[in-house]
Amino acid sequence: MNSRRSRIRSSALAATAVGFLLLGAACGSGTPGDAGAAGEPVYGGTLTFLDPVEYQAFNITNTLWSNTQVTPQLVDRLTYQDPDTGEIEPWIAESWDISDDGLAYTFHLRDGVTFSDGTPLDANAVKANYDQHGFGAPELGIVKDAFFGSYAGTDVVDDDTVTVRLSSPNAGFLQVTSIYRSGLLAQSTLGKNLDAQGQIANLIGSGPFVLESSNSNQEIVLKRREDYDWAPPSSEHQGRAYLDRIVFKVVTEGSVRTGSLQSGQAHIARNIQPYDEELLSGSGIDIIAKSVDGETNHLNIHQTAPLVADKNVRLALQAATNRQEIVDTVLSPNYGVAKSILPQSSPWFSDNSDALTFDLDRAEQLLEGAGWKVGADGIRVKDGQRLSVEGYVAPFYQPSKATWELLAEQWKKAGVELNVKQVDYGTYTKTVAEKGQPFSQSQLSRAEPDVLRTSYDSTLNNVTFVADPRLDELVRAQAAITDPAQRKAAVADIQKYLIDNAVVIPLYDETQIFAVSPTVQGFGTDPVARSEFYGTWLSEN
Amino acid sequence: MGRYIASRIGQAFLVLWAAYTASFVLLAVLPSDPISIRISAPDSGLTPEDGERLREYYGLDQPIVAQYVHRLAGVLHGDFGYSLTRGTPVRTLIAEALPSTIHLTAFSLLAGLLIAGVLGVAASYSRFGWLRGLLLSVPPLFASVPTFLIGILFLQVFSFELGWLPAVADGSASALVAPVLTLGIAVSAPLAQVLIRTLDSIRREPFVQVVLAKGADDGYAFRHHVLRNSILPWLTLLGLTIGELIAGSLVTETVYSRDGIGRLTQSSVQAQDLPVIQAVVLLAASVYVLVNLVIDLVYPLVDPRIQLIGGRSRIRAHKVKEAA
């Protein structure tokens, strides 16, 4: 009831907003920005960033995605991942060695790095951080971090050297040391309990920004740390950040985010609706689309459900899905058409588009072959049973409902009935996990192919609810391979297996859309579209 | 009088306890729980086992009655616990959000009274039929236009097009103008409708006709006789308006991205953040009870015929002097 009402409200809002914006555009009130050269970076200024979702606890792990637009500015990591190449580069660790058996990682730390409370970021600090991730701290209410699955402990070799030990080889571990959730925190933070660690004021890191103020988790103001001098060596910019301040503000209404940006009241807005993209770029606002590395947005098929246990039915659904049309009608040209389970932007992507071509004839042939004959109402029937399935709108993805509705239209042409259903956020996960539910829509973001093991290993998330020995073997194999070329081949095998057996139906490459004022220069994100403001500056301030 | 207040305060505690218990039961019977919601977020990286550990940490694995007793005991000692989604003490959350909502609702109530007063008097005293008709149609219009639509309209015109007001609350006084008008318009509708009807009927009362017949002009009659008698229904309505203000602040705070109790409620309900919801319920119920108590105490001051005896108020059958 509640969620339905808010849905109606937001669509009405959207419609009104579009109407007004069109009116505004027609009157020529938009002020096109000039796209000239930005010139030399300048220091100073306050950048205002509008986020669509209310912030929750700021614990470094287990937080909302929205929070991770803020947190990375406060913390540094041992390593830095290049957002374009996916390469792992030095940061707080100047260099590292990996033992031949892949079980010991020795990091040589940069000298002179301090947390914003003045304490040193040394080997002991790294050990304290990693131990809390790897072992949890039950007395503080801190659970183990799933990303540190095979963690066996950290040895302090000397002040500037630590050795992290794993119990089984994990080729993806090095990347774990680069992500926001491995952000290094001061001992004073680590000693606090779950609730206290969730307060951003208690989040003491060594990052280029520190907290200035926060109010009810709806407005966070960060200020520059003046003595910051340990950016990743590969960064063009070194020393303190350019911006004086960053104001993160929660603005839940999409039309208010776009309006604020158009009228120059904010610099960056996240989560721009596909229908607003053209309006904004027409009025001189830059639309920056960042493909999110990890999985594509896709459907997992639960083979425990009766109808989709048949591989031919699954392959038919795969063939009946027109991905180009999803991008054309539900999304915008800024989204990539899915060509595998990994997005095209991923360095580990292998092209499976041949198996993902929209082919209605093939879908019909497969279903005919499986004994499904077209019934009186156009829906196929076999042994008196109709080929009718349910799909639940995933509340985590804004275009989910429109995507499901389009899928229902597309599959109907092949004689498959898809009933689109909706439940609220709280009950969604439970509902799709129920026995007999054929699909769940999901997308895990992490710029490391090990993300496929997290999702499909039957002892981990096991999103398909079946233990497939061949799939287990494939997803585990890549984790033990250290040679990049060999590992890439192993990752390609997983992608092919998931698609060829229609374990998944990829939909589109997950993309974060930022609307950015033309005065903002040097705005970047990490490989999964989390903002990074260290090198950002304002050309007019 | 003393006995009256004492019994009313006793009633108030009963109402608060009932509101607290009802909200607890409602949340307890919901199919999901805050930890499930937390671990189901795609980026949480939490397993169901982690969820169990979190439930233990927050005491959510205890039997429901034990949880209820524990929380109620906490509340009686002034401890509202910690938010399950933010980790912040509930008291801090409320303390941060409350001033903003008090500003918004207090000014909105003033704006609403002003709008309703002007509309009511203008409509009732209008000498032109067409103007009266026009004014009479304003309150139903205000009542039927959704608050968020008014909000978006104001933003579009005054903030995005004219640039007079900030779209997103920045703590300045100018950021309060549009939200106050938005919410003020919403609460003015019923007040205006009631005022127009009361004014019309009181102006037809014989005692007013007598005053006018004795040579007083409309203004004198309005100030000395009509106004005071018209305020009584408003007082009753004011109690209900408080509820409307609280509900309306939710939409207004969301549209204008203002910090406040309304928004806190909305996000907490979405996440089933039990301690926060219950504190907000208690707060809203306290305000409601308090306002209605004050209104009841004010009745006899406005209308001397009303006496407060024991647990209720009653009108003394008393010769009516006003008509003299």
Side-chain angles (χ1 to χ4, degrees), chain B residues 9-318:
Chain B
I9 288 173
Q11 281 175 15
F13 275 103
L14 208 66
V15 168
L16 291 181
W17 172 78
Y20 183 85
T21 307
S23 63
F24 184 90
V25 171
L26 268 175
L27 287 163
V29 298
L30 282 179
S32 193
D33 68 273
I35 302 299
S36 301
I37 293 173
R38 190 155 157 180
I39 67 173
S40 68
D43 274 85
S44 76
L46 290 168
T47 62
E49 294 80 58
D50 294 337
E52 283 314 310
R53 245 158 254 139
L54 287 173
R55 273 191 200 96
E56 279 168 38
Y57 179 75
Y58 288 115
L60 296 171
D61 57 333
Q62 301 289 314
I64 200 82
V65 177
Q67 285 187 44
Y68 173 76
V69 172
H70 177 76
R71 285 191 190 284
L72 189 62
V75 168
L76 291 176
H77 289 93
D79 173 17
F80 290 87
Y82 288 80
S83 158
L84 299 180
T85 52
R86 302 160 198 252
T88 318
V90 173
R91 257 207 295 208
T92 311
L93 281 176
I94 302 265
E96 278 179 358
L98 196 55
S100 164
T101 300
I102 290 179
H103 287 154
L104 173 68
T105 47
F107 285 113
S108 298
L109 181 60
L110 278 179
L113 288 172
L114 209 69
I115 296 169
V118 170
L119 269 176
V121 174
S124 186
Y125 281 82
S126 168
R127 296 199 179 142
F128 310 101
W130 62 269
L131 183 60
R132 181 178 155 84
L134 192 71
L135 290 170
L136 281 179
S137 66
V138 173
L141 178 74
F142 281 180
S144 55
V145 180
T147 311
F148 74 83
L149 199 64
I150 300 177
I152 290 289
L153 252 166
F154 279 178
L155 278 179
Q156 192 59 42
V157 176
F158 297 111
S159 182
F160 301 154
E161 289 298 327
L162 299 171
W164 292 350
L165 305 169
V168 171
D170 56 2
S172 68
S174 61
L176 198 60
V177 174
V180 160
L181 278 180
T182 307
L183 190 52
I185 284 175
V187 298
S188 73
L191 290 169
Q193 278 168 319
V194 167
L195 183 65
I196 292 171
R197 196 180 309 165
T198 329
L199 282 177
D200 284 353
S201 72
I202 288 180
R203 286 177 67 204
R204 279 198 300 270
E205 289 279 326
F207 73 87
V208 178
Q209 301 303 320
V210 170
V211 171
L212 292 175
K214 281 171 128 182
D217 62 5
D218 261 346
Y220 180 89
F222 175 72
R223 285 193 306 275
H224 292 89
H225 300 274
V226 178
L227 187 62
R228 193 173 213 197
N229 284 288
S230 310
I231 276 178
L232 224 47
W234 254 31
L235 273 180
T236 315
L237 199 60
L238 216 54
L240 300 171
T241 306
I242 298 301
E244 200 151 322
L245 276 172
I246 295 172
S249 68
L250 195 153
V251 177
T252 314
E253 285 170 359
T254 304
V255 171
Y256 291 100
S257 310
R258 288 180 64 81
D259 190 14
I261 297 290
R263 244 178 124 184
L264 183 65
T265 312
Q266 194 237 349
S267 62
S268 305
V269 167
Q270 212 161 20
Q272 290 190 27
D273 196 339
L274 197 105
V276 183
I277 300 173
Q278 291 212 275
V280 171
V281 164
L282 273 185
L283 178 73
S286 310
V287 171
Y288 212 84
V289 164
L290 199 71
V291 167
N292 280 291
L293 178 63
V294 169
I295 287 171
D296 284 352
L297 294 177
V298 168
Y299 275 135
L301 302 180
V302 178
D303 188 339
R305 292 170 297 175
I306 297 174
Q307 261 195 340
L308 303 174
I309 302 162
R312 53 204 138 118
S313 56
R314 71 173 201 204
I315 294 181
R316 219 168 5 163
H318 190 68

Side-chain angles (χ1 to χ4, degrees), chain A residues 2 6 8-9 12-13 16-17 20-21 24 29 50 54-59 61-65 138-147 180-181 193-196 198-199 214-219 249-253 255-263 265 396-397 424-427 429-430 443-445 461 530, chain B residues 30-33 36-47 49-51 53-55 57-58 82-89 92-97 148-149 152-153 155-161 163 165-171 250-251 253-260 263-264 266-272:
Chain A
N2 195 16
S6 79
I8 292 170
R9 209 191 65 201
L13 262 183
T16 328
F20 279 117
L21 291 173
S29 62
L50 307 181
E54 243 165 74
Y55 301 123
Q56 293 188 356
F58 276 91
N59 302 74
T61 58
N62 317 326
T63 51
L64 280 185
W65 212 86
E139 71 285 2
L140 302 174
I142 311 278
V143 296
K144 277 189 216 170
D145 182 352
F147 283 70
Y180 81 97
R181 63 194 290 142
N193 69 15
L194 180 68
D195 286 328
Q199 307 308 299
S214 77
N215 186 7
S216 287
N217 298 352
Q218 295 192 349
E219 185 185 88
K249 183 87 195 151
V250 176
V251 176
T252 48
E253 296 299 341
S255 58
V256 179
R257 287 200 302 280
T258 51
S260 300
L261 213 65
Q262 279 189 311
S263 57
Q265 299 181 51
F396 323 115
Y397 314 112
D424 66 34
Y425 193 103
T427 37
T429 306
K430 217 179 265 181
Q443 188 273 331
L444 214 55
S445 44
N461 289 8
R530 293 190 175 93
Chain B
L30 282 179
S32 193
D33 68 273
S36 301
I37 293 173
R38 190 155 157 180
I39 67 173
S40 68
D43 274 85
S44 76
L46 290 168
T47 62
E49 294 80 58
D50 294 337
R53 245 158 254 139
L54 287 173
R55 273 191 200 96
Y57 179 75
Y58 288 115
Y82 288 80
S83 158
L84 299 180
T85 52
R86 302 160 198 252
T88 318
T92 311
L93 281 176
I94 302 265
E96 278 179 358
F148 74 83
L149 199 64
I152 290 289
L153 252 166
L155 278 179
Q156 192 59 42
V157 176
F158 297 111
S159 182
F160 301 154
E161 289 298 327
L165 305 169
V168 171
D170 56 2
L250 195 153
V251 177
E253 285 170 359
T254 304
V255 171
Y256 291 100
S257 310
R258 288 180 64 81
D259 190 14
R263 244 178 124 184
L264 183 65
Q266 194 237 349
S267 62
S268 305
V269 167
Q270 212 161 20
Q272 290 190 27

Side-chain angles (χ1 to χ4, degrees), chain A residues 207-227:
Chain A
F209 291 92
V210 292
L211 181 76
E212 182 171 275
S213 66
S214 77
N215 186 7
S216 287
N217 298 352
Q218 295 192 349
E219 185 185 88
I220 310 283
V221 183
L222 304 184
K223 65 177 181 198
R224 173 172 61 205
R225 187 173 163 192
E226 296 296 338
D227 61 346

Side-chain angles (χ1 to χ4, degrees), chain A residues 63-66 68-69 81 147 175 179-181 270 290-298 341-343 346 397 442-452 454-455 461 509-512 526-530, chain B residues 41-45:
Chain A
T63 51
L64 280 185
W65 212 86
S66 268
T68 66
Q69 296 289 328
Q81 185 174 28
F147 283 70
Q175 193 265 348
I179 53 181
Y180 81 97
R181 63 194 290 142
R270 186 170 79 78
K290 293 283 183 185
S291 175
V292 178
D293 203 346
E295 298 170 334
T296 57
N297 198 306
H298 63 277
I341 183 68
L342 295 181
S346 165
Y397 314 112
S442 76
Q443 188 273 331
L444 214 55
S445 44
R446 185 185 159 199
E448 224 300 322
D450 199 40
V451 71
L452 296 176
T454 310
S455 286
N461 289 8
D509 285 359
E510 189 62 64
T511 305
Q512 275 291 326
D526 76 357
V528 291
R530 293 190 175 93
Chain B
D43 274 85
S44 76

